[in-house]
Amino acid sequence: MSGGFDLVIRGGTVATASDTFLADVGIRDGRIVQIGERLTEGREEIDATGRFVLPGGIDSHVHLSQPSGEGIVMADDFESGTRSALFGGNTCVLPFCLQEKGQSLREALTAYHALAQGNCYTDHSFHMIVSDPTASVLGQELPALVVDGYTSFKVFMTYEGLRLNDAQILETMDVARRTGALVMVHCENEDAIRYLIGRHEAEGDVAPSAHATTRPIVVEREATHRALSLAEVVDVPVVIVHVSNGPAIDEIRAARARGRKVIGETCPQYLMLTADDLDGMDWEGAKFVCSPPPRDTASQDACWNGLETGVFDLFSSDHCPFRYDDPAGKLNPKGKTSFRHIPNGIPGVETRLPILFSEGVMKRRIDLSRFVALTATNHAKVYGLERKGRIAVGMDADIAIWDPTERRTIRHADLHDGADYSPYEGLEVQGWPTTVVLGGKVMVRDGALVGAKGDGRYRSRSAPAI
Ligand code: DUC
Ligand code: ZN
Ligand code: ZN
């Protein structure tokens, strides 16, 4: 007799951020309603014997359809980006909504919602990027948006046209203090970068590899120290995004030792790539241009250590895709003349989870519970997605079923994003999310898309639970 379940995922190894156990998961009306042994039959059944049943990944750092400079087009819109995310085991993404100079935040949000509405394969929500913190933005708009469920915003310390000065960062952090929202900071010192770019260009060093040498570790370390200090002055928690190296990690550790609340994030590129990758022949290095840049093996080790020891709460992709062989991408006419004009960012939303699973869990650097925390549970807590990121009664039935025996060689041809390459081409991984369930609906079944564009919905968020 039926227990009234719409779907039962049977016999799998369920993992949460604290436990791993064998159980059936019963789902009704889009939510998890029972977890236990020998649940009664559901209208639909999935046999998960020998599989891992994990919360769907939440990728809280992705860029989709973001304006990226004249003549440059981001390779993913909401349709291709969320489809790719879904195939990589994700059920929710948090892209950025960029406020362009002179634009109101509402205007920017209206445009992004229009792009996302009806086009998504995963749930989604937005972080604001505040690039023009006018009195009305800080005094009225931003506080009103926090009330409306946009509870996080990013500020940049680099990029002309985007970066805020220290006074502006302090003012923006003060909005977070007053509203309970969370500020994310991109930590690189723009003036130092511009100085180094000038020196390199004067010497005729314009190849992609100069992207890494003009954004050295010290530039990130100094900005990380400053961001943490500014947050300390205001007395707010802060998220340090895409941390790439040991000295920046040390800054986070030191701030925490002073009693500061700091959320740390790192990304696959800082585990798997180095600055040597930017040295490719025929401008191939452009494929690896992202900021902060990939570093060296000591930095990779430091980032792994940060994942193992709890420095990092979040493992995100920073998916920021541009096509390589494309005049609107990496090889744009100016990009072929200097690294300075190569758009910053690499694709990775689909490979984030398989890389951490294979390199982290299978190689026993982290356990399955830590994997779940780093890829789903913590993202939900930090960014106020109350019903997501956990396999527990009452939660949204957002679930990825992993085959830990599946071996794949990453080939861009097998991925689902809009770029024309993967920075991880040829990497062999073990473990893949073969079935993905969103709100109780099977979206990917044994590697095949069965869900529809528009099944993913916008999710308003509450204040961070940190
Ligand atoms: N910062 C990001 O967060 N993503 C891509 C490019 C950048 O500079
Ligand atoms: Zn950034
Ligand atoms: Zn980013």
Side-chain angles (χ1 to χ4, degrees):
M1 149 164 157
S2 168
F5 301 120
D6 298 328
L7 172 65
V8 174
I9 300 172
R10 198 173 291 283
T13 299
V14 176
T16 70
S18 54
D19 303 296
T20 302
F21 50 93
L22 274 178
D24 304 336
V25 179
I27 293 161
R28 190 188 310 128
D29 297 333
R31 305 269 193 101
I32 297 168
V33 292
Q34 199 171 340
I35 300 169
E37 292 178 344
R38 289 185 288 279
L39 297 193
T40 53
E41 200 178 334
R43 280 198 296 114
E44 192 179 351
E45 293 260 330
I46 295 176
D47 179 8
T49 310
R51 310 270 163 119
F52 291 146
V53 178
L54 310 184
I58 300 174
D59 195 338
S60 60
H61 189 148
V62 308
H63 304 261
L64 303 174
S65 289
Q66 190 173 304
S68 306
E70 216 182 299
I72 304 297
V73 180
M74 196 161 267
D76 275 316
D77 57 16
F78 282 81
E79 179 178 348
S80 61
T82 59
R83 187 180 56 216
S84 182
L86 182 76
F87 273 100
N90 300 283
T91 48
C92 187
V93 297
L94 277 77
F96 291 90
C97 169
L98 171 69
Q99 174 204 25
E100 299 197 71
K101 277 254 161 30
Q103 198 182 27
S104 84
L105 301 179
R106 287 279 177 198
E107 228 180 299
L109 266 174
T110 304
Y112 273 80
H113 274 292
L115 292 171
Q117 177 69 33
N119 286 321
C120 291
Y121 288 93
T122 66
D123 284 354
H124 58 280
S125 192
F126 296 108
H127 311 288
M128 298 303 306
I129 292 176
V130 179
S131 70
D132 200 3
T134 61
S136 69
V137 163
L138 296 178
Q140 285 99 47
E141 271 213 284
L142 204 45
L145 286 182
V146 176
V147 172
D148 286 352
Y150 303 92
T151 53
S152 49
F153 27 93
K154 182 176 178 187
V155 298
F156 283 78
M157 300 171 96
T158 184
Y159 298 132
E160 215 41 63
L162 211 53
R163 68 143 149 183
L164 306 190
N165 62 36
D166 289 356
Q168 293 170 316
I169 293 172
L170 286 163
E171 290 298 328
T172 309
M173 286 179 168
D174 193 64
V175 177
R177 182 183 65 81
R178 285 184 275 124
T179 60
L182 202 49
V183 180
M184 311 158 76
V185 190
H186 179 129
C187 300
E188 288 184 293
N189 181 319
E190 176 68 14
D191 292 323
I193 293 166
R194 284 162 74 90
Y195 162 76
L196 289 170
I197 288 176
R199 256 174 52 178
H200 276 259
E201 289 199 326
E203 287 162 13
D205 182 8
V206 292
S209 57
H211 175 77
T213 38
T214 55
R215 291 175 174 267
I217 286 175
V218 58
V219 158
E220 183 182 343
R221 188 200 70 211
E222 183 279 332
T224 304
H225 181 83
R226 192 156 33 100
L228 291 166
S229 302
L230 298 178
E232 188 168 339
V233 168
V234 178
D235 192 18
V236 278
V238 65
V239 185
I240 306 295
V241 293
H242 46 49
V243 176
S244 72
N245 66 84
I249 288 171
D250 291 342
E251 293 292 343
I252 294 175
R253 284 203 173 102
R256 286 186 182 158
R258 294 193 300 274
R260 306 307 312 163
K261 184 86 211 169
V262 185
I263 309 295
E265 178 199 73
T266 194
C267 314
Q269 47 270 42
Y270 306 118
L271 304 178
M272 305 306 295
L273 305 177
T274 69
D276 289 348
D277 290 305
L278 278 81
D279 234 342
M281 300 286 286
D282 297 329
W283 231 251
E284 286 257 333
K287 291 180 177 176
F288 305 92
V289 166
C290 60
S291 294
R295 307 289 184 188
D296 53 16
T297 52
S299 300
Q300 292 179 335
D301 292 346
C303 289
W304 275 115
N305 181 262
L307 288 169
E308 290 155 17
T309 58
V311 173
F312 294 121
D313 309 279
L314 306 172
F315 185 73
S316 311
S317 69
D318 196 1
H319 179 76
C320 186
F322 299 96
R323 291 172 59 80
Y324 171 66
D325 194 5
D326 194 315
K330 298 280 189 183
L331 296 189
N332 67 81
K334 279 185 175 168
K336 286 196 270 193
T337 66
S338 169
F339 67 93
R340 195 153 59 89
H341 302 293
I342 297 170
N344 280 209
I346 60 175
V349 74
E350 192 166 343
T351 46
R352 170 186 74 127
L353 297 176
I355 286 174
L356 188 65
F357 187 90
S358 184
E359 292 290 320
V361 179
M362 297 310 292
K363 294 193 175 169
R364 300 190 183 283
R365 287 165 159 142
I366 57 172
D367 66 17
L368 199 54
S369 286
R370 183 94 186 109
F371 175 85
V372 167
L374 284 164
T375 58
T377 312
N378 291 351
H379 297 254
K381 275 191 201 157
V382 167
Y383 294 117
L385 289 157
E386 283 177 359
R387 289 215 317 264
K388 295 200 179 288
R390 286 192 292 146
I391 297 198
V393 170
M395 292 289 127
D396 286 351
D398 294 349
I399 293 170
I401 302 175
W402 284 70
D403 181 351
T405 65
E406 173 143 349
R407 289 175 187 274
R408 288 199 192 184
T409 302
I410 293 179
R411 302 271 177 230
H412 185 261
D414 300 326
L415 302 176
H416 302 81
D417 59 67
D420 57 353
Y421 75 97
S422 165
Y424 309 107
E425 186 79 15
L427 179 71
E428 289 178 15
V429 293
Q430 182 176 348
W432 202 271
T434 48
T435 293
V436 184
V437 176
L438 173 68
K441 177 171 180 186
V442 181
M443 296 291 289
V444 174
R445 191 194 307 278
D446 297 325
L449 184 66
V450 292
K453 185 173 92 166
D455 284 340
R457 282 176 295 156
Y458 170 72
R459 299 293 174 178
S460 175
R461 293 181 286 121
S462 41
I466 52 171

